[in-house]
Amino acid sequence: MKWVCNRAKLIAISNYTKSEIKKVMPELKIEVITPGFDLDFWTFGKADDDVAIKFRPYILSVGALKPRKGYYNSIMAFAAVAEKIGGLNYVIVGQGEESDYAKNLKKIISENGLEKRVFFVSAGIDDNQLLGFYKNAELFVLTPVEENHHFEGFGIVYLEAAASGLPIVATDKNGATSAVSDVYNGTLVPQNDPAVTAKTILRILENSELKTRFAKNGREWVKGFSWDKIIKKYIEIYNAKHH
């Protein structure tokens, strides 16, 4: 493995991923190039609002229903938020609603009396409908956790949310730290801390100036992740390697 890596140019998709690799092979030289995404679509694309508007007002998560996405944390945080903001809902868009993990989440939702305020949308959503969910949301929250050495490597959904003009709440000590600029277009909170997550969500939703500033900054932040810019970085590395 070392021989192969030493003969190749190694690229990680986030600073956190790079740091995790170097824990195992500290001698490796690794550059970070984040994923790119379709900036034009998520900023100016045609949103299909028909499904999303039924849930307004709501905060939004997008991501498969699996433990490392940290939905236990965000649902428990929403339970606290829901006590303060009546009428606010929480929409989770992601595949895996039939999993044991999702069933446990639904149990938590039921135990907290949130059956009519937390909604899973797990099938039949195309990109235009997903854009509709982003455009109609109040805030984006996804709070990944490290679960049995599985962690969030980056998080394209954070870029989609930022391009759609949403303030963001994410967690630290994972790849999200390369996808969200802390205190610029969102806030990074500790993993597995529903209380702090709830306070952070409330602070943003209850401060219109902060919410607007995060949204505006997010639209600027994501310009650095356009495919045009990301591709140029790969070409520069390839040309340097072969000249």
Side-chain angles (χ1 to χ4, degrees), residues 174-200:
N174 63 77
T177 58
S178 290
V180 180
S181 182
D182 191 25
V183 305
Y184 180 69
N185 72 309
T187 302
L188 299 175
V189 298
Q191 295 185 21
N192 294 307
D193 196 331
V196 172
T197 303
K199 289 179 182 178
T200 302

Side-chain angles (χ1 to χ4, degrees), residues 192-210:
N192 294 307
D193 196 331
V196 172
T197 303
K199 289 179 182 178
T200 302
I201 291 172
L202 285 168
R203 182 170 60 87
I204 296 172
L205 293 180
E206 293 176 344
N207 186 330
S208 59
E209 188 278 329
L210 179 62

Side-chain angles (χ1 to χ4, degrees), residues 23-241:
K23 286 179 182 178
V24 180
M25 302 176 72
E27 71 278 6
L28 294 183
K29 294 181 179 179
I30 304 173
E31 292 198 34
V32 174
I33 301 181
T34 66
F37 81 120
D38 188 348
L39 178 62
D40 288 341
F41 176 78
W42 296 105
T43 304
F44 306 111
K46 180 176 175 55
D48 183 343
D49 299 326
D50 290 347
V51 181
I53 59 175
K54 296 184 294 184
F55 301 103
R56 295 190 306 190
Y58 62 88
I59 63 173
L60 176 69
S61 291
V62 178
L65 302 180
K66 56 181 66 175
R68 69 177 173 84
K69 297 294 183 179
Y71 287 123
Y72 170 80
N73 176 72
S74 57
I75 289 172
M76 291 303 297
F78 178 72
V81 171
E83 292 181 359
K84 302 287 186 179
I85 304 180
L88 182 70
N89 295 320
Y90 179 19
V91 176
I92 300 171
V93 179
Q95 298 295 324
E97 195 171 347
E98 301 306 316
S99 67
D100 289 340
Y101 176 67
K103 291 175 183 176
N104 288 333
L105 294 179
K106 290 180 180 180
K107 182 179 179 182
I108 294 168
I109 291 167
S110 177
E111 290 172 348
N112 285 274
L114 297 171
E115 299 97 323
K116 295 183 179 180
R117 298 185 68 177
V118 179
F119 302 94
F120 292 98
V121 180
S122 59
I125 299 297
D126 60 27
D127 280 351
N128 296 94
Q129 290 171 319
L130 180 57
L131 181 59
F133 275 100
Y134 280 122
K135 295 290 188 181
N136 285 279
E138 302 296 318
L139 174 146
F140 184 82
V141 55
L142 189 67
T143 53
V145 298
E146 185 164 345
E147 182 78 16
N148 295 324
H149 303 293
H150 293 272
F151 60 87
E152 193 75 3
F154 180 72
I156 295 290
V157 292
Y158 296 116
L159 303 184
E160 295 172 354
S164 303
L166 291 179
I168 296 168
V169 176
T171 43
D172 58 12
K173 297 180 181 178
N174 63 77
T177 58
S178 290
V180 180
S181 182
D182 191 25
V183 305
Y184 180 69
N185 72 309
T187 302
L188 299 175
V189 298
Q191 295 185 21
N192 294 307
D193 196 331
V196 172
T197 303
K199 289 179 182 178
T200 302
I201 291 172
L202 285 168
R203 182 170 60 87
I204 296 172
L205 293 180
E206 293 176 344
N207 186 330
S208 59
E209 188 278 329
L210 179 62
K211 184 181 176 187
T212 301
R213 175 156 50 88
F214 278 173
K216 179 181 178 182
N217 290 347
R219 291 190 177 98
E220 288 299 314
W221 168 251
V222 297
K223 291 178 182 178
F225 298 88
S226 69
W227 272 119
D228 286 344
K229 293 185 178 180
I230 299 301
I231 288 170
K232 285 179 181 177
K233 294 178 181 179
Y234 277 102
I235 292 173
E236 288 172 2
I237 287 176
Y238 181 84
N239 287 338
K241 179 80 174 173

